[in-house]
Amino acid sequence: MSTQSNVLPESSSQAQRITVAVFPAARLMYWSVRRELWENRAIYVAPVAIACLFLFGFSISILHLLVEMHAAPGLDAMQQRELSRQPYEVAEDLIMGAALIVGIFYSIDALYGERRDRGILFWKSLPLSDLTTVVSKACIPMVVLPLLAFALAVLTQWMMLLISSAALLGSGLSVAPLWSRVAISQRWPMLLFHFLCVHALWQAPIYGWLLLVSGWARRMPMLWAVSPPLTIGFVEKIAFNTTHFGALIGSRFTGGSEGEAIMEHGSSIVPMPYLASAHFLINPGLWVGLAVTAAFLAIAVRVRRYRGPI
């Protein structure tokens, strides 16, 4: 009897300690984001593949670059700079487009996919709240993809510059004019701002809406995501002969006039890019979009709480 009385309190205290043990919210969020990266390799494979294909094509056309460099002295300084920077800007645009497409397709399948393959039953059995799950999925297109795209753009541009320099040195030409005209390091701060603010904050309502539809739709989530905006735009055009709603949606994809101004003057040494950045941050449309995104994500959390497998 004494042995039993000594064992029971110890086992009950251990069970109590196990019950009250909780994981920090930051650790749960970290592992939830890592889980998304493990399960969706296209998040980083697709942008890397686009960058590699562009580098391959750029390496093949390096001879054409040498011809342009020989013709460049006949142009003025502005034309020479634009001619030298054009391939680097094309690389940025391709990586931006790849990140946007990956973010759209990931968001529309993020919550729908776990209901389709019945994985939601397993994840709901773990100590993960619906809020943690939805926010971790929203972090992929709003945080992870912009940072990944920026790092990939910087690496791609740096490799392009090294390839161009090697080709010029092999032809007996100086690389100093190319490095002074391109000046890619001056463009990187505004490029980082563009990825984080335009592709993360400004486009956040797009991803929030797609996540909401992904958690709600029982079939064909892409159709449900596209139909309401198209219907509203069509009704507006028929009723008022205007396209304000379509222009609003389009500005969310392009970054608006402020985002275009940042990239247009991104390599300038004058304060213009910083003024454009400040104007972007105080734009009411940015904060209205973030409020709408928060509402979309809040509804998605509630929808996931009551949604089961398809």
Side-chain angles (χ1 to χ4, degrees):
M1 296 295 294
S2 60
T3 303
Q4 184 177 3
S5 62
N6 292 333
V7 172
L8 287 178
E10 182 179 357
S11 60
S12 61
S13 62
Q14 290 178 353
Q16 184 178 4
R17 285 197 299 270
I18 294 174
T19 302
V20 300
V22 293
F23 293 99
R27 179 180 296 182
L28 291 176
M29 182 63 64
Y30 170 75
W31 285 106
S32 297
V33 172
R34 289 198 62 175
R35 187 253 295 188
E36 295 300 321
L37 295 176
W38 288 335
E39 293 185 349
N40 302 275
R41 296 183 179 181
I43 294 173
Y44 51 88
V45 170
V48 170
I50 294 296
C52 292
L53 287 175
F54 180 81
L55 280 175
F56 178 74
F58 180 79
S59 302
I60 294 177
S61 63
I62 197 66
L63 182 60
H64 181 63
L65 172 65
L66 295 178
V67 174
E68 291 182 342
M69 289 296 296
H70 281 291
L75 305 176
D76 57 39
M78 183 62 68
Q79 291 175 334
Q80 292 177 9
R81 189 178 298 109
E82 292 179 356
L83 181 63
S84 301
R85 291 178 179 175
Q86 185 176 4
Y88 299 86
E89 295 175 357
V90 172
E92 294 174 2
D93 295 338
L94 286 177
I95 295 175
M96 289 180 189
L100 176 61
I101 293 174
V102 171
I104 289 175
F105 280 95
Y106 165 82
S107 300
I108 199 62
D109 191 64
L111 297 173
Y112 177 78
E114 67 177 12
R115 293 188 294 123
R116 182 185 59 234
D117 59 17
R118 308 182 72 86
I120 190 174
L121 298 176
F122 171 75
W123 295 113
K124 281 193 173 184
S125 66
L126 299 179
L128 287 174
S129 64
D130 297 300
L131 177 62
T132 301
T133 301
V134 172
V135 172
S136 66
K137 292 179 182 295
C139 285
I140 297 299
M142 298 182 191
V143 179
V144 175
L145 269 173
L147 291 177
L148 174 64
F150 168 74
L152 190 58
V154 170
L155 180 61
T156 302
Q157 291 180 342
W158 183 249
M159 294 183 66
M160 291 170 59
L161 190 58
L162 292 180
I163 294 173
S164 302
S165 300
L168 291 174
L169 291 175
S171 301
L173 300 176
S174 174
V175 299
L178 175 65
W179 283 66
S180 61
R181 293 168 186 166
V182 174
I184 54 176
S185 59
Q186 297 180 7
R187 189 176 176 85
W188 287 343
M190 289 298 102
L191 183 63
L192 176 60
F193 184 89
H194 183 87
F195 274 113
L196 289 180
C197 292
V198 175
H199 288 266
L201 300 181
W202 188 261
Q203 294 178 350
I206 298 174
Y207 301 124
W209 167 252
L210 294 177
L211 286 170
L212 171 58
V213 175
S214 178
W216 171 82
R218 297 185 180 275
R219 294 289 187 275
M220 298 180 292
M222 181 61 75
L223 180 62
W224 283 107
V226 174
S227 296
L230 290 180
T231 303
I232 295 174
F234 181 75
V235 171
E236 179 192 359
K237 181 64 177 179
I238 296 298
F240 306 104
N241 196 25
T242 58
T243 58
H244 298 301
F245 185 78
L248 176 64
I249 299 299
S251 68
R252 288 292 165 178
F253 284 95
T254 61
S257 58
E258 291 80 5
E260 295 174 358
I262 291 172
M263 295 309 300
E264 181 180 355
H265 303 279
S267 59
S268 176
I269 60 175
V270 298
M272 178 61 191
Y274 303 100
L275 294 177
S277 303
H279 187 264
F280 179 84
L281 291 176
I282 63 175
N283 187 354
L286 172 65
W287 299 104
V288 171
L290 293 178
V292 172
T293 303
F296 284 157
L297 294 181
I299 299 174
V301 170
R302 187 169 183 83
V303 167
R304 186 182 186 273
R305 186 174 304 164
Y306 300 103
R307 274 287 191 262
I310 301 175

